[in-house]
Amino acid sequence: MEYKKISDHCGYYQAAVNIGYIHADGKGFLIDAGLEAAAAKKVVKHLQSNNLPLTHLFITHAHSDHFGGARYLKENFQIIVIAPDLEAAIIENPVLEPIYLFQGTYPVQELRNKFLEAPSVSVDRKIQAGTETIDGVSFQIHSFPGHSYQQIGIEFDSILFAADAYFGVEALYKHKIPFIVDYKKTLESLAALSLLRVKGSVPGHGSYEESYQETVQINIEWHQQILKLTEEFVKQQGACSFEALFAYLCRQKDVNIPHLSSFLLFRTAVGAYIAQLIESERAIFKIEDYQLIIRANM
Ligand SMILES: [Zn+2]
């Protein structure tokens, strides 16, 4: 995990999941906490050896890889934990993620793993989009829903910490069908990102880029292509089961699904593309012979 300095005030620890850092007015703000305590410990070690403060932690959204290290930080340091309201509900009750992925059924033990359920941590301050002044330091908080329900991005000193509002190109290639819960909001967040006037941006997975708009454009086209595949299959079949459509998209994108956790993550993402067809009236849901059928309406 390497610390990459962006400006006098901003930098990030680059890893599979990036952890941002803002240093201003004698205070130190982390942006996300990594998958587990080990990642947070490395960050703390670097901060301490460079005499840098740690006073606050922003959690951009309630995915385990972004807040798994938060409890360690909270238990060992005097920090204020900050998150948006709905994400905070999951951060404080992390079993909610395996619950929603398992369609509300109480999750089987296999799903109660560190990738889906981080240790709970209490959130001290709930924030919303807009200008937020936190202990004398002002931030621009951006609302980037779509990848999660109420994800935020944090702008300071004209540097944007975009969380998972977009993925670095390598991460896109790796995930193939990126995790989203809402197609329309994902695309709206990407459009809002392209219009921002900032010096550069750090995604949750990827590298800091000044001309990040090109990467955002690749993300937009990536999602549009998956929606197109979804729409074409439904149109060509006339009607198909959710399972048939899911399997078709996974085969087309050559997705690797080794276990139940990844199956449920991909099923949720595919559900978001199907929901977009339903909400834009290009398809309808039907229950036929006890099965969920997607019928073309175009
Ligand atoms: Zn995420």
Side-chain angles (χ1 to χ4, degrees), residues 105-236:
T105 303
Y106 198 74
V108 291
Q109 204 55 40
E110 184 187 344
L111 295 174
R112 309 203 60 186
N113 60 63
K114 69 177 177 183
F115 298 101
L116 301 186
E117 184 178 344
S120 65
V121 65
S122 59
V123 174
D124 304 298
R125 180 165 171 168
K126 315 274 171 68
I127 50 165
Q128 295 175 345
T131 307
E132 283 271 357
T133 302
I134 298 165
D135 291 330
V137 184
S138 286
F139 300 88
Q140 201 59 39
I141 306 297
H142 298 279
S143 172
F144 293 139
H147 166 77
S148 72
Y149 307 102
Q150 221 175 53
Q151 177 174 249
I152 51 163
I154 290 134
E155 180 189 336
F156 184 81
D157 193 25
S158 193
I159 304 298
L160 178 69
F161 294 88
D164 294 351
Y166 71 98
F167 291 98
V169 174
E170 261 180 54
L172 269 186
Y173 282 123
K174 184 177 156 224
H175 291 293
K176 295 172 180 176
I177 300 179
F179 185 81
I180 58 170
V181 296
D182 188 314
Y183 176 88
K184 191 164 170 245
K185 285 184 177 157
T186 297
L187 272 280
E188 284 169 359
S189 291
L190 287 165
L193 263 164
S194 334
L195 294 174
L196 280 185
R197 292 188 170 272
V198 289
K199 268 189 226 148
S201 170
V202 193
H205 309 269
S207 300
Y208 171 75
E209 290 178 300
E210 284 190 349
S211 52
Y212 71 96
Q213 287 87 351
E214 290 166 26
T215 306
V216 169
Q217 188 55 36
I218 294 170
N219 276 253
I220 291 172
E221 287 163 16
W222 198 276
H223 291 295
Q224 288 172 334
Q225 193 253 350
I226 298 171
L227 183 69
K228 193 162 170 252
L229 278 176
T230 313
E231 183 170 359
E232 282 172 356
F233 185 75
V234 173
K235 204 171 175 178
Q236 180 213 335

Side-chain angles (χ1 to χ4, degrees), residues 4-296:
K4 304 232 173 184
K5 185 176 170 174
I6 301 172
S7 71
D8 285 346
H9 295 286
C10 299
Y12 70 110
Y13 295 88
Q14 187 161 36
V17 190
N18 294 327
I19 297 178
Y21 183 66
I22 297 167
H23 176 206
D25 217 7
K27 295 175 190 77
F29 299 79
L30 283 181
I31 297 140
D32 291 333
L35 174 66
E36 51 197 334
K41 280 180 191 168
K42 284 182 196 159
V43 166
V44 166
K45 202 173 159 197
H46 176 268
L47 292 175
Q48 286 174 338
S49 60
N50 288 278
N51 267 322
L52 290 166
L54 170 57
T55 53
H56 298 74
L57 167 65
F58 284 107
I59 301 175
T60 58
H61 65 295
H63 288 166
S64 303
D65 56 339
H66 291 254
F67 79 99
R71 185 192 282 181
Y72 164 79
L73 293 173
K74 181 117 192 201
E75 280 178 350
N76 290 280
F77 303 92
Q78 287 249 319
I79 57 162
I80 308 285
V81 177
I82 306 154
D85 204 30
L86 184 53
E87 303 293 332
I90 301 170
I91 292 163
E92 293 184 337
N93 303 279
V95 70
L96 287 171
E97 179 172 352
I99 284 178
Y100 69 67
L101 290 172
F102 206 42
Q103 297 193 326
T105 303
Y106 198 74
V108 291
Q109 204 55 40
E110 184 187 344
L111 295 174
R112 309 203 60 186
N113 60 63
K114 69 177 177 183
F115 298 101
L116 301 186
E117 184 178 344
S120 65
V121 65
S122 59
V123 174
D124 304 298
R125 180 165 171 168
K126 315 274 171 68
I127 50 165
Q128 295 175 345
T131 307
E132 283 271 357
T133 302
I134 298 165
D135 291 330
V137 184
S138 286
F139 300 88
Q140 201 59 39
I141 306 297
H142 298 279
S143 172
F144 293 139
H147 166 77
S148 72
Y149 307 102
Q150 221 175 53
Q151 177 174 249
I152 51 163
I154 290 134
E155 180 189 336
F156 184 81
D157 193 25
S158 193
I159 304 298
L160 178 69
F161 294 88
D164 294 351
Y166 71 98
F167 291 98
V169 174
E170 261 180 54
L172 269 186
Y173 282 123
K174 184 177 156 224
H175 291 293
K176 295 172 180 176
I177 300 179
F179 185 81
I180 58 170
V181 296
D182 188 314
Y183 176 88
K184 191 164 170 245
K185 285 184 177 157
T186 297
L187 272 280
E188 284 169 359
S189 291
L190 287 165
L193 263 164
S194 334
L195 294 174
L196 280 185
R197 292 188 170 272
V198 289
K199 268 189 226 148
S201 170
V202 193
H205 309 269
S207 300
Y208 171 75
E209 290 178 300
E210 284 190 349
S211 52
Y212 71 96
Q213 287 87 351
E214 290 166 26
T215 306
V216 169
Q217 188 55 36
I218 294 170
N219 276 253
I220 291 172
E221 287 163 16
W222 198 276
H223 291 295
Q224 288 172 334
Q225 193 253 350
I226 298 171
L227 183 69
K228 193 162 170 252
L229 278 176
T230 313
E231 183 170 359
E232 282 172 356
F233 185 75
V234 173
K235 204 171 175 178
Q236 180 213 335
Q237 298 288 309
C240 62
S241 68
F242 187 101
E243 284 71 21
L245 179 48
F246 175 75
Y248 170 77
L249 287 173
C250 291
R251 280 190 213 109
Q252 286 293 311
K253 299 298 288 182
D254 194 24
V255 164
N256 175 34
I257 302 188
H259 42 57
L260 181 63
S261 297
S262 48
F263 173 81
L264 295 178
L265 289 165
F266 281 112
R267 189 178 65 176
T268 302
V270 165
Y273 294 98
I274 295 173
Q276 175 61 17
L277 290 189
I278 304 293
E279 298 295 25
S280 59
E281 300 184 347
R282 283 174 278 174
I284 50 168
F285 278 139
K286 280 278 183 193
I287 308 301
E288 288 173 13
D289 193 25
Y290 308 108
Q291 291 180 65
L292 178 57
I293 303 295
I294 296 116
R295 184 174 288 283

